[in-house]
Amino acid sequence: MAARRLTFAAAVVFSAALPRLALAQTDILSADTVHGVVDLRGEWADGEPSFTEGGFGKSRYGGGAAGGDSAKLQIADAALEWTPRIGWDLSAVVDLVAQPSQEHAIDLGQAYFVYKPVPTSATRFSLRGGLYYPPISLEHDARAWGITDTITPSAINTWVGEEVKVVGLEANVSTVVGDQAVKATAAVFGYDDTSGTLLSFRGWGLHDLQSQANGSFPLPPLSSFIARVQDDETYSTLEIDRRAGFYGRLEWTPTPPLTLHAFYYDNAGDRVSVTPDLQWAWKTRFWEAGGRWDLDEHTKLQAQALIGSTVMGFDTPGGRFVDMDFRSIYLLATRDVGKSAFTGRVDLFDTHDRSSLTLGDTNEHGWALTAAWRYPLSRTLDVRLEAMHIESDRPSRALAGDAPDQPQTVLQSSLRLTL
């Protein structure tokens, strides 16, 4: 199944590109089309162990198994990004990503083509297809779907990185009227049927791990009922019910310093299709809205809010297997002072389970504060420091023998090389 998924994604990316390789403007392999990212990370954390160890931890790093502190120095991220260009209007992006704690040492992150015909008026068109993240995150603006202002993304965009990657075909149209710009995006997609699994059984997270094309994330201890119907891990890139989902996005720039957008996503899952190894086709829908306001050339404000629901399983007298509502919001501010950039962010998040079959209270309430500093050492190398504190209450932690209310502090340093 994994090989078929990779073959399908690769075929989508290159099917449009191959007939045009002979064009004069082609640049397939050069210093301009091959890029690399390496992130040397130091961390200290207290609190519960990370979710990567099969628990309810929110962060990529957590305290020791006995409840003590932990510290680590490692290569946290390494990525190779290939951006071939086939003519003036056709290009592609292929990311190979290596992150410790993932199922595979190296796996495909994204692989998609972009078709942008040369504009002949104020209205512009583009097309994107392949394996990619939908245009949701305002934080991921660097190579290999990396971020610039902090080390750890918000809860919203952490979840996008975990469970909202698609194999799709996306169309964009934009135009300018006076000083105002409008952009509309629409897409159909598949291979995102399990979206909502981590959010339901573990809850929100705050970390920079990305889903793999063929990899999985472990789930925390499940209730006795759910453990009989759900595998103990979830694969983020699966097509189970053979139904196409869709999303749409509207963006408006009323004045150059301010940009606003609204986004709607529906994976159209049928809720009841299931694989032999108990991976389900969840029905997940959400609205997201956000914006960025550049107060001046050194200061920006950024915010996003997301609200949605996810459902899995058959209808029974006690309800569906899982019927979860979820919400999150964050506000971020960044100020440049000389070469340094200082960023602060506050996150709020919760979930509400409307099903009585989960047999374990999976409701959740939490918040997080993040402070970060970034300094460029050169054009390709920067150093970052980040302090993050998370407070969350989740009664289902009792399944792992933990207290429902868990505080955690994570300190990180990053030396990041981008070529």
Side-chain angles (χ1 to χ4, degrees), residues 56 58 155 159 162-163 196-205 282 306-310 322-329 348-355 358 360-367 392-397:
F56 289 91
K58 299 294 181 190
W159 180 57
E162 294 173 331
E163 294 197 304
T197 309
L198 267 175
L199 196 55
S200 296
F201 296 135
R202 183 214 58 202
W204 293 97
W282 295 63
L306 184 147
I307 183 169
S309 65
T310 186
V322 179
D323 192 346
M324 180 78 70
D325 293 333
F326 51 87
R327 300 180 299 178
S328 185
I329 187 172
L348 302 175
F349 52 86
D350 65 27
T351 64
H352 176 67
D353 190 357
R354 297 179 296 182
S355 173
T358 306
D361 189 345
T362 58
N363 295 323
E364 176 176 88
H365 303 277
W367 57 269
S392 61
D393 181 80
R394 188 177 181 89
S396 60
R397 284 189 171 106

Side-chain angles (χ1 to χ4, degrees), residues 11 28 131 138 269 297 300 308 409:
I28 300 299
L131 175 69
L138 296 180
E297 62 180 2
K300 75 171 181 180
T409 299

Side-chain angles (χ1 to χ4, degrees), residues 108-155:
L108 190 64
Q110 299 187 96
Y112 60 88
F113 74 84
V114 177
Y115 174 66
K116 282 186 177 181
V118 177
T120 58
S121 68
T123 301
R124 303 185 176 209
F125 304 90
S126 67
L127 194 67
R128 177 168 70 150
L131 175 69
Y132 61 85
Y133 290 106
I136 301 172
S137 177
L138 296 180
E139 297 175 283
H140 290 83
D141 56 358
R143 293 206 177 276
W145 210 67
I147 57 179
T148 298
D149 294 322
T150 59
I151 297 175
T152 305
S154 63

